[in-house]
Amino acid sequence: MGLKKYIGFSLLLIIAIGLYVYSVESGSYEITILDYTMQLPTVLWVIIPVTALFFFTVLHLIFYGSLNFFKTRNFVKDEESIIETVKALLLGKEDKRRFKTEGYKNLASILKQLNISIKDGTFTSSNEELNTIVASVKDIEDGKYVSEKTLKLNPESSLAKKNLINKINEQVDYAVDVLKKQDNFSEEVVKAAFYTVLENKSMTTVKKVYSNVKLTKDMALKLFLKDIDNTEFGLSKDEIQKITKNLNYTNEEYLTLAKLYKDALNPDKLLDLFETLSTDNEDAIGAYFYILLELEMIDQLKDLLSGYNDDEHKAIRALLDLKDAGKHYSFEDITNIN
């Protein structure tokens, strides 16, 4: 029964009681307490306690009804807040919402300690904004770029970086802009932009932006492979020297570089490049010997080897001995370098 109905029926009952009592006893009744005497109609002696009971009952109902109303409202508010918490977690944002009910407070604490992932298939809920966020997150995970205007991500989150990489993969010109302003982006994003530009732009464009990038050895290798296919507008000797020096190339890495370039450059340029590298860095001397061997510059090679101990550059010495014996083997035949 609602409060209004309760009040209405209670008032009718009080009136009915009053009318009945009045019809039975219309006189008055006197009561004396100590020196104080009070005389009231009999009907009032009956109606007053009933009315008082009615009044306090209504106060009781209003009080506990209000408590129940606020408790229910807290549950409704916390239900809305937990959905907002899920949205924030999906977007990689920090959530500082406070919950008034203990159950939702514990649930929110648990959710914040977990990584929420989205299963394959259709996601549906009664919250349309949540549906949109889930669909956008799935698109990002699938490699699609979602506009930042429609999806407000935490810029520092892994999802935001993934979305940025998706944009780089889809928009080559944006990748070029990233390399031009690489200090504003994470290493992972810059690397993705570098590979995208390397794959989709000409060597002319690559040369304009690669110097801004802090290269890794893998990135340098990809750059050298691109250079080999574009020798006309490729890297200069000084650029290759600078890259390998900055990356502290080892003997093996210089040998790998020599093998990459031996068929890409004409003999004069090839010889000049590795002579310069070996002069600048002793670790490149093995690669220089390899080039001399490939170019059949045997006398010059033997002359240079004479300045080293017999236990140094054994593979090169072995090949020279085999050549002198009339046997022809390649450097790769007697080493583990492919």
Side-chain angles (χ1 to χ4, degrees):
M1 180 184 293
L3 182 61
K4 290 183 180 180
K5 289 183 179 181
Y6 175 79
I7 293 174
F9 283 116
S10 296
L11 290 175
L12 289 175
L13 179 62
I14 291 172
I15 292 172
I17 291 172
L19 291 174
Y20 174 75
V21 172
Y22 186 77
S23 66
V24 174
E25 177 58 60
S26 59
S28 62
Y29 182 79
E30 182 180 286
I31 185 172
T32 301
I33 300 175
L34 297 177
D35 295 332
Y36 183 77
T37 300
M38 180 181 290
Q39 183 176 357
L40 294 173
T42 302
V43 65
L44 290 181
W45 287 114
V46 175
I47 292 299
I48 289 174
V50 173
T51 302
L53 176 63
F54 162 72
F55 176 75
F56 286 111
T57 301
V58 170
L59 288 180
H60 174 84
L61 292 174
I62 291 174
F63 176 74
Y64 282 99
S66 298
L67 287 180
N68 186 61
F69 168 77
F70 287 113
K71 185 177 180 180
T72 302
R73 189 176 72 169
N74 287 341
F75 273 108
V76 172
K77 290 290 185 182
D78 280 359
E79 182 181 358
E80 295 173 354
S81 295
I82 202 70
I83 296 296
E84 295 302 316
T85 296
V86 172
K87 292 177 185 176
L89 293 175
L90 286 171
L91 298 176
K93 295 180 177 179
E94 184 179 359
D95 182 69
K96 296 183 179 179
R97 287 179 178 79
R98 295 184 177 181
F99 294 84
K100 297 183 178 180
T101 58
E102 198 64 28
Y104 278 114
K105 186 184 296 183
N106 291 334
L107 178 58
S109 176
I110 292 170
L111 288 175
K112 291 175 183 179
Q113 299 177 67
L114 301 175
N115 289 323
I116 299 179
S117 60
I118 302 171
K119 293 183 178 180
D120 293 334
T122 304
F123 176 88
T124 56
S125 74
S126 59
N127 190 296
E128 289 301 322
E129 185 180 359
L130 178 59
N131 294 340
T132 301
I133 289 174
V134 170
S136 297
V137 171
K138 289 177 69 175
D139 283 343
I140 293 173
E141 295 296 342
D142 290 339
K144 299 177 183 177
Y145 168 65
V146 178
S147 173
E148 295 94 336
K149 294 180 180 179
T150 59
L151 194 65
K152 297 179 180 179
L153 297 168
N154 174 9
E156 301 302 320
S157 68
S158 59
L159 187 65
K161 291 180 182 178
K162 171 68 175 173
N163 194 42
L164 196 57
I165 290 173
N166 292 345
K167 183 177 182 180
I168 286 168
N169 293 336
E170 290 180 7
Q171 303 175 22
V172 181
D173 289 338
Y174 179 71
V176 174
D177 291 337
V178 169
L179 296 185
K180 290 179 178 178
K181 303 174 183 177
Q182 55 99 20
D183 290 338
N184 299 330
F185 300 92
S186 69
E187 183 179 337
E188 183 182 0
V189 172
V190 172
K191 185 180 292 187
F194 177 79
Y195 287 139
T196 296
V197 172
L198 207 60
E199 183 178 353
N200 295 281
K201 287 291 187 178
S202 67
M203 195 63 192
T204 304
T205 301
V206 172
K207 289 185 66 175
K208 291 178 180 178
V209 295
Y210 91 89
S211 59
N212 298 322
V213 180
K214 184 178 180 181
L215 298 176
T216 64
K217 289 185 176 180
D218 180 69
M219 294 165 71
L221 178 59
K222 296 290 195 305
L223 176 60
F224 292 144
L225 290 171
K226 174 88 170 181
D227 182 48
I228 288 169
D229 293 330
N230 299 270
T231 53
E232 187 176 350
F233 301 101
L235 299 171
S236 68
K237 177 183 66 176
D238 292 339
E239 287 175 309
I240 295 174
Q241 181 183 10
K242 182 179 180 181
I243 292 170
T244 56
K245 186 174 183 179
N246 288 341
L247 292 174
N248 296 316
Y249 261 38
T250 63
N251 294 310
E252 291 76 14
E253 287 162 341
Y254 276 116
L255 283 169
T256 300
L257 188 67
K259 184 178 178 183
L260 289 177
Y261 275 99
K262 70 175 183 178
D263 296 323
L265 299 176
N266 65 53
D268 290 338
K269 287 186 177 181
L270 184 65
L271 188 64
D272 182 41
L273 171 61
F274 282 91
E275 183 179 10
T276 301
L277 292 177
S278 65
T279 301
D280 185 55
N281 192 328
E282 181 65 24
D283 287 330
I285 195 67
Y288 181 44
F289 289 166
Y290 170 77
I291 294 300
L292 290 173
L293 186 66
E294 289 294 313
L295 296 178
E296 297 290 336
M297 301 179 68
I298 306 302
D299 291 337
Q300 185 175 344
L301 177 56
K302 288 181 177 180
D303 183 55
L304 290 172
L305 278 172
S306 64
Y308 291 84
N309 296 328
D310 292 341
D311 60 348
E312 295 182 280
H313 306 291
K314 292 181 179 180
I316 297 292
R317 293 179 187 276
L319 281 171
L320 289 175
D321 290 340
L322 288 169
K323 282 182 178 293
D324 290 341
K327 297 178 181 181
H328 299 283
Y329 290 88
S330 67
F331 186 83
E332 289 76 9
D333 290 333
I334 62 172
T335 65
N336 293 323
I337 300 177
N338 296 316

